[in-house]
């Protein structure tokens, strides 16, 4: 395959934070992807919630299976558009490494707890995992990934944090774009979760096919499927509808992005970065359909009373663990009792940052076990 001129090129990478020998028989982006797969944070994704708490059922998505689905979608588009598949795969596999236990409820609760200390953003935390927190290499902290992978992992961050991030923060200050692989991983994330949350939502019984047909694009694909397979039902029907829906989105994304590239004519990744808007995009019609689908999921699944109760309980666990570790650092494992050498701030801020590192790194079941350990005093 011939790489497109506007794709990221591992031989022209903007480099790593610490100099290293050139990889042998692998590109820089392959090495990044391989390091991500061998990281501790990657293995923990298996036991972290996407929407449903990890122990609720074996068929629901976890952050690990979600990340693999994102990588699958992103790689398919990357190959078709002659982008760097290894880079997009690495970004996809790493994009959720900074997520707390208990999905968005956990992230919101930890952000609340961290408000007085600069807040908690999961994208920033994903970057922190790959830049600082992984601690298995002899020569450096973190995974020492290439700039292009790191900018994709960061995805977004608030302006107030961008200034502290050095090279990967600059694009938020100068309002430039990330490379196409980073843009693609971001949209593949959305395609994956919108579709698998429908699947998990139906499996759980919290939403129904009839309800989903309120969403025009879903109704359209559902009608098509039923007219072809009138007898189909259950998980085969759901799967058949969802595979068509994913396909529609992927094809739309590929066509609309290819068209945007043909119009803008970027000759290099530098040209891609200078665009006013991301070149990876849906058509206007698909963007509208996607928004309707997201609204449906927010109202009917993420805010469902059962999910809401689970989220409420998760928030209490995070808050109480946070308070306990803030008030008594001896409850933390020894390595979290110390600030990182690279961190700056007052003593309390530094301590809070380590508490949030510890909590964010927990899996769902680890957090529940730790909560029981500290607060269920009947178990001695
Ligand atoms: Mg994700």
């Amino acid at each position: 395959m011939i790489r497109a001129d506007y794709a990221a090129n591992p031989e022209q990478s903007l480099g790593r934070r610490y100099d290293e020998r050139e990889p042998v028989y692998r590109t820089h982006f392959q090495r990044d992807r391989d390091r991500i797969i061998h990281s501790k944070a990657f293995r923990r994704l298996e036991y972290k919630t996407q929407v449903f708490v990890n122990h609720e059922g074996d068929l629901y998505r976890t952050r690990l299976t979600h990340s693999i689905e994102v990588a699958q979608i992103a790689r398919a588009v990357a190959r078709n558009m002659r982008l760097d598949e290894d880079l997009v795969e690495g970004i996809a596999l790493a994009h959720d490494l900074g997520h707390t236990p208990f999905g968005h409820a956990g992230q919101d609760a930890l952000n609340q707890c961290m408000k007085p200390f600069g807040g908690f953003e999961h994208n920033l935390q994903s970057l922190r995992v790959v830049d600082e927190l992984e601690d298995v290499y002899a020569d450096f902290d973190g995974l020492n990934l290439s700039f292009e992978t790191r900018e994709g992992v960061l995805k977004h961050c608030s302006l107030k944090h961008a200034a502290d991030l050095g090279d990967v923060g600059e694009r938020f200050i100068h309002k430039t774009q990330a490379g196409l692989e980073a843009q693609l991983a971001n949209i593949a994330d959305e395609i994956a979760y919108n579709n698998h949350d429908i699947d998990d939502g139906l499996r759980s019984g919290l939403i129904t096919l009839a309800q989903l047909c309120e969403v025009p694009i879903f109704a359209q694909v559902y009608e098509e499927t039923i007219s072809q397979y009138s007898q189909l039902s259950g998980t085969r029907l759901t799967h058949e509808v969802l595979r068509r829906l994913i396909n529609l989105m992927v094809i739309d994304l590929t066509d609309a992005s290819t068209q945007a590239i043909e119009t803008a004519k970027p000759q290099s990744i530098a040209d891609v970065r200078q665009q006013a808007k991301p070149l990876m995009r849906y058509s206007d019609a698909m963007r509208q359909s996607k928004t309707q689908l997201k609204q449906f999921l927010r109202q009917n699944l993420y805010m469902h009373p059962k999910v809401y109760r689970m989220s409420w309980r998760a928030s209490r666990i995070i808050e109480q663990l946070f308070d306990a570790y803030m008030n008594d650092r001896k409850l933390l494992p020894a390595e979290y009792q110390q600030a990182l050498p690279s961190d700056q701030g007052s003593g309390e801020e530094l301590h809070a940052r380590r508490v949030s590192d510890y909590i964010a790194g927990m899996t769902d079941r680890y957090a529940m076990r730790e909560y029981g350990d500290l607060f269920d005093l009947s178990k001695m």
Side-chain angles (χ1 to χ4, degrees):
M1 184 208 76
I2 301 165
R3 178 189 314 278
D5 293 337
Y6 43 77
N9 185 338
E11 285 166 27
Q12 290 157 18
S13 166
L14 297 179
R16 300 175 189 276
R17 298 173 84 204
Y18 309 99
D19 284 338
E20 283 191 66
R21 272 185 304 191
E22 290 289 305
V24 180
Y25 300 138
R26 291 184 290 180
T27 70
H28 282 286
F29 299 151
Q30 280 179 287
R31 175 153 78 181
D32 287 357
R33 187 263 328 273
D34 299 347
R35 285 185 180 175
I36 290 158
I37 288 177
H38 289 278
S39 70
K40 293 193 281 187
F42 185 70
R43 294 197 290 280
R44 287 199 292 256
L45 293 176
E46 183 174 2
Y47 301 104
K48 291 198 187 204
T49 293
Q50 191 63 29
V51 175
F52 296 89
V53 174
N54 179 244
H55 62 82
E56 288 180 328
D58 290 349
L59 282 176
Y60 295 121
R61 267 66 173 191
T62 66
R63 293 247 169 235
L64 180 65
T65 58
H66 161 69
S67 301
I68 294 170
E69 290 182 32
V70 176
Q72 178 274 311
I73 291 167
R75 282 193 64 141
V77 176
R79 184 173 303 186
N80 191 272
M81 295 183 65
R82 299 187 294 130
L83 303 178
D84 193 287
E85 272 184 71
D86 302 313
L87 174 59
V88 87
E89 185 181 15
I91 295 169
L93 295 178
H95 85 284
D96 272 352
L97 291 180
H99 257 288
T100 61
F102 310 126
H104 282 283
Q107 131 94 17
D108 291 346
L110 192 53
N111 188 27
Q112 274 305 319
C113 295
M114 285 295 287
K115 273 274 144 68
F117 313 105
F120 177 87
E121 294 177 27
H122 65 84
N123 293 328
L124 269 179
Q125 190 70 12
S126 296
L127 185 68
R128 189 170 161 85
V129 168
V130 300
D131 277 358
E132 309 280 353
L133 296 180
E134 282 289 320
D135 55 359
V136 296
Y137 288 86
D139 290 328
F140 43 78
D141 286 331
L143 305 178
N144 199 29
L145 303 179
S146 309
F147 174 89
E148 291 76 7
T149 306
R150 295 171 59 234
E151 79 168 350
V153 170
L154 176 61
K155 193 158 71 177
H156 300 298
C157 86
S158 55
L159 214 48
K160 75 177 157 97
H161 285 126
D164 301 331
L165 291 175
D167 53 4
V168 278
E170 275 169 27
R171 110 177 108 98
F172 303 99
I173 298 163
H174 302 301
K175 304 223 179 336
T176 57
Q177 309 301 325
L180 294 174
E181 290 82 358
Q183 297 178 22
L184 167 56
N186 190 13
I187 301 177
D189 181 25
E190 237 183 32
I191 296 178
Y193 70 67
N194 281 328
N195 285 286
H196 67 48
D197 286 355
I198 293 175
D199 189 30
D200 286 350
L202 288 168
R203 175 170 292 112
S204 67
L206 299 185
I207 53 175
T208 63
L209 282 171
Q211 267 179 311
L212 269 160
C213 284
E214 292 165 18
V215 184
I217 192 170
F218 190 91
Q220 174 205 321
V221 177
Y222 177 81
E223 293 303 332
E224 261 174 42
T225 310
I226 282 293
S227 67
Q228 201 179 340
Y229 301 102
S230 59
Q231 302 302 312
L232 211 56
S233 65
T235 51
R236 270 187 211 271
L237 175 58
T238 307
H239 191 265
E240 188 60 37
V241 173
L242 288 178
R243 67 183 278 251
R244 288 164 186 237
L245 201 50
I246 294 173
N247 216 20
L248 265 189
M249 292 177 178
V250 167
I251 291 169
D252 183 275
L253 168 66
T254 307
D255 290 345
S257 307
T258 303
Q259 205 172 31
I261 288 168
E262 276 168 14
T263 308
K265 300 191 178 37
Q267 303 297 311
S268 64
I269 188 168
D271 289 350
V272 168
R273 294 185 198 281
Q274 291 308 319
Q275 299 293 315
K277 287 197 304 187
L279 292 171
M280 294 301 299
R281 61 179 72 159
Y282 292 120
S283 65
D284 291 342
M286 184 57 83
R287 192 169 321 114
Q288 199 193 348
S289 296
K290 176 209 74 175
T291 305
Q292 291 165 340
L293 200 54
K294 278 178 108 147
Q295 263 164 5
F296 173 89
L297 286 170
R298 192 169 325 118
Q299 282 162 11
N300 297 282
L301 183 61
Y302 310 143
M303 307 275 277
H304 189 284
K306 257 186 95 174
V307 176
Y308 183 83
R309 282 180 75 91
M310 189 281 286
S311 300
W312 188 90
R313 284 155 45 98
S315 306
R316 300 296 89 77
I317 293 179
I318 301 280
E319 286 161 13
Q320 291 183 41
L321 289 178
F322 187 86
D323 286 345
Y325 301 139
M326 280 306 284
N327 293 330
D328 190 344
R329 73 176 67 205
K330 292 197 289 298
L331 292 173
L332 288 167
E335 66 268 32
Y336 288 93
Q337 294 181 18
Q338 322 263 312
L340 292 187
S342 53
D343 282 346
Q344 288 177 354
S346 72
E348 206 190 7
E349 275 164 21
L350 292 172
H351 177 51
R353 191 53 62 192
R354 294 304 281 151
V355 169
S356 86
D357 285 338
Y358 183 43
I359 292 177
M362 291 179 181
T363 61
D364 296 2
R365 59 185 193 172
Y366 186 96
M368 288 188 280
R369 209 185 302 138
E370 177 72 352
Y371 180 85
D373 211 44
L374 291 181
F375 297 107
D376 183 356
L377 304 180
S378 66
K379 283 197 299 191
M380 284 305 255

